[in-house]
Amino acid sequence: MANTFKNIKKKLRRKRLLAEKRHLEKAQAGAGGNEAARRKIKAALRRKKAVLKPVAVILIAVFVVLAGFLFLEKRTYRNYKVQVTSEQEDTVSTQYTYLSGKILRYSSDEVSLVNNKLETVWSQTYDMQNPVADVCGDCAVIADKDGTSMVFLDKNGITGTVSTSYSIVKAKVSKTGMAAAILDGGDHTWINFYNLDGSLVAENQTNIQDPGYPMDVALADNGVVMMVAYQFVDSSETTSYIAFYNFGEVGQNEDDRIVSGYTYDGVVVPQIQYLGSNAVALRDDGFTIYSGRQIPKELKTVQVEQEIISTFYDEDNIGLVFKNDSKDKQYTMQVYSSAGKLKFSKDFNIPYTTIRMSDDYIVMYNSSQLCVLNSNGSEKYFGSVDGTVKDFFKLGWNKYLLVMDTGVNVIKLS
């Protein structure tokens, strides 16, 4: 009986030991599974951090850039610092304009491209009496007004020259380098169309009565459409006619290659211009916008009651200035988008002599004062200068070319 009892106790002990062993094995297996799970979670977190970290860096950078942009847009400057100056310039007979991020300097016998340090990149000679320039993008044309010489150029230098048969009234260039010139032949005028190398593409003879005297010419960026503003007087009433010529396939079967035309009775159109893909006719009572790459059509007309005393524009903006009756604010400025939507209206009291769009900003000046507005009409700078201002325009990020009677300066607002 005693032996039986001992055997039972041994069996129970073995069972208990086996149960403890299995429990221990399960615990060890569970611990290993948890460790593997922990390793998987840690690896997933590392992968998530690896993805989130550059995203966070990008978001922070975007926030910093936006904050900086808003700060600079709202910041108003009261002074400027002269960064570079040249007192050897003949500012009486030399003119300046902006070309491809640099300064185009031209006179009666020479044209040169100058960087923002006023260092000459290249220089070439010609012979003119009264040079006037038109610039669009990386291309320019310089014409001898009332003379017969024209030079075509881009940022690398002169690309072609032309000697015309009649006196040059006006010359315009497009971004592609195509150029057009109005030539005065007495009772007849000519509108010639040229390639960048100066070769003649087409010539159009016009009559003072039909379709009228050409007031201005503008060229589309596609290199085939030319816009001309004509004016004629019939029964003591002034009439303007806007014609669009297409020198591509679309216009080859049209009379005189005119693919669309619009007549405006009692309206004077002294200025026309292409603004990107749209064109604008600046009238004495407002402006008309045209849209269409091959056959332009009227898109919108904005008419105003006040007398327009100044206009300015770039690819995105059309600006009009009127006089008003306020003693505190003599002028009103209205700026529209290139689609004809009013962006803002602003009263101001700056007795300017020149106003223009310059690198997305509105620049005004007279002989002793400068004013800069951003494209929303907020004032960035206004101040007086010592000496006589000859020219003033924006060169880039907070830099401007200030041409004085004593020399040329590159300045930075501060």
Side-chain angles (χ1 to χ4, degrees):
M1 191 71 179
N3 290 333
T4 302
F5 184 73
K6 287 181 181 179
N7 289 334
I8 291 172
K9 288 178 68 176
K10 286 181 180 179
K11 288 181 180 179
L12 290 173
R13 191 182 299 115
R14 282 198 298 270
K15 286 183 177 180
R16 188 171 63 250
L17 291 173
L18 288 172
E20 289 177 354
K21 184 179 180 181
R22 286 194 293 271
H23 180 74
L24 180 62
E25 288 175 349
K26 287 182 179 180
Q28 290 175 344
N34 289 338
E35 182 63 29
R38 283 194 293 272
R39 286 198 296 269
K40 288 181 179 179
I41 291 171
K42 287 182 179 179
L45 288 173
R46 284 195 297 269
R47 288 194 296 271
K48 190 173 182 180
K49 286 181 180 179
V51 173
L52 291 177
K53 187 175 181 180
V55 172
V57 171
I58 292 171
L59 289 175
I60 291 171
V62 169
F63 175 79
V64 170
V65 170
L66 288 175
F69 175 78
L70 290 174
F71 171 75
L72 291 174
E73 278 296 293
K74 292 183 177 295
R75 182 180 178 185
T76 300
Y77 302 91
R78 293 303 175 200
N79 298 294
Y80 67 83
K81 294 179 180 178
V82 176
Q83 293 192 315
V84 187
T85 187
S86 173
E87 297 179 354
Q88 307 301 319
E89 301 277 349
D90 179 9
T91 60
V92 175
S93 60
T94 304
Q95 300 181 69
Y96 304 83
T97 188
Y98 188 68
L99 173 67
S100 190
K102 294 182 175 61
I103 303 161
L104 187 70
R105 179 176 59 192
Y106 62 99
S107 63
S108 60
D109 58 4
E110 183 181 29
V111 58
S112 57
L113 195 67
V114 181
N115 63 24
N116 289 357
K117 295 181 180 180
L118 300 182
E119 300 168 335
T120 300
V121 179
W122 54 259
S123 178
Q124 293 180 265
T125 61
Y126 53 68
D127 183 23
M128 294 187 187
Q129 297 297 316
N130 186 22
V132 291
D134 183 63
V135 176
C136 189
D138 294 335
C139 300
V141 58
I142 300 176
D144 192 3
K145 185 175 174 60
D146 300 324
T148 58
S149 297
M150 283 193 298
V151 297
F152 306 93
L153 54 96
D154 60 18
K155 60 184 178 180
N156 298 313
I158 292 177
T159 58
T161 61
V162 167
S163 180
T164 62
S165 302
Y166 303 102
S167 298
I168 300 168
V169 177
K170 185 174 289 190
K172 290 283 192 72
V173 70
S174 72
K175 280 186 178 179
T176 56
M178 304 297 290
I182 299 174
L183 309 178
D184 187 359
D187 291 338
H188 298 279
T189 54
W190 296 81
I191 303 173
N192 289 2
F193 195 35
Y194 300 92
N195 282 311
L196 183 61
D197 61 2
S199 58
L200 184 66
V201 176
E203 56 183 358
N204 299 274
Q205 184 184 31
T206 69
N207 187 283
I208 292 177
Q209 293 301 320
D210 185 20
Y213 184 82
M215 300 290 289
D216 201 3
V217 61
L219 299 169
D221 291 342
N222 60 16
V224 297
V225 177
M226 180 174 70
M227 177 186 185
V228 181
Y230 295 98
Q231 181 178 311
F232 61 93
V233 177
D234 185 17
S235 300
S236 300
E237 182 180 55
T238 299
T239 299
S240 293
Y241 175 63
I242 304 297
F244 290 93
Y245 298 80
N246 190 310
F247 296 100
E249 293 182 3
V250 174
Q252 62 184 354
N253 295 322
E254 303 293 336
D255 291 342
D256 297 326
R257 288 189 170 268
I258 297 177
V259 291
S260 60
Y262 302 91
T263 300
Y264 305 101
D265 295 329
V267 174
V268 176
V269 181
Q271 193 174 23
I272 56 176
Q273 184 66 35
Y274 261 90
L275 313 176
S277 58
N278 288 347
V280 62
L282 294 160
R283 308 154 37 138
D284 61 352
D285 63 347
F287 60 87
T288 298
I289 297 172
Y290 308 86
S291 181
R293 290 185 57 81
Q294 297 293 332
I295 306 176
K297 303 292 184 183
E298 283 184 328
L299 178 65
K300 186 175 184 177
T301 294
V302 173
Q303 289 185 288
V304 296
E305 295 181 358
Q306 308 97 311
E307 180 186 357
I308 300 170
I309 60 172
S310 297
T311 60
F312 54 93
Y313 53 81
D314 63 8
E315 287 196 354
D316 302 312
N317 302 281
I318 303 167
L320 309 176
V321 179
F322 322 97
K323 270 200 169 183
N324 60 41
D325 297 328
S326 172
K327 293 182 179 179
D328 296 330
K329 303 289 185 180
Q330 297 183 51
Y331 305 99
T332 298
M333 172 192 304
Q334 291 182 355
V335 176
Y336 298 80
S337 71
S338 59
K341 182 179 180 180
L342 179 65
K343 298 176 69 173
F344 70 86
S345 180
K346 180 184 181 70
D347 295 333
F348 65 99
N349 194 34
I350 301 166
Y352 69 92
T353 55
T354 301
I355 183 169
R356 60 161 66 107
M357 292 296 305
S358 182
D359 194 28
D360 296 328
Y361 275 28
I362 302 166
V363 169
M364 293 182 281
Y365 65 90
N366 55 40
S367 61
S368 61
Q369 293 176 309
L370 309 173
C371 182
V372 179
L373 309 177
N374 66 14
S375 58
N376 296 319
S378 298
E379 184 179 295
K380 305 299 294 178
Y381 175 81
F382 175 71
S384 300
V385 297
D386 295 328
T388 302
V389 179
K390 308 290 288 186
D391 204 351
F392 178 60
F393 56 85
K394 195 166 183 280
L395 291 176
W397 184 261
N398 202 27
K399 288 187 178 182
Y400 298 80
L401 186 75
L402 176 59
V403 182
M404 306 289 293
D405 57 343
T406 54
V408 179
N409 306 291
V410 175
I411 66 171
K412 182 178 181 180
L413 302 183
S414 61

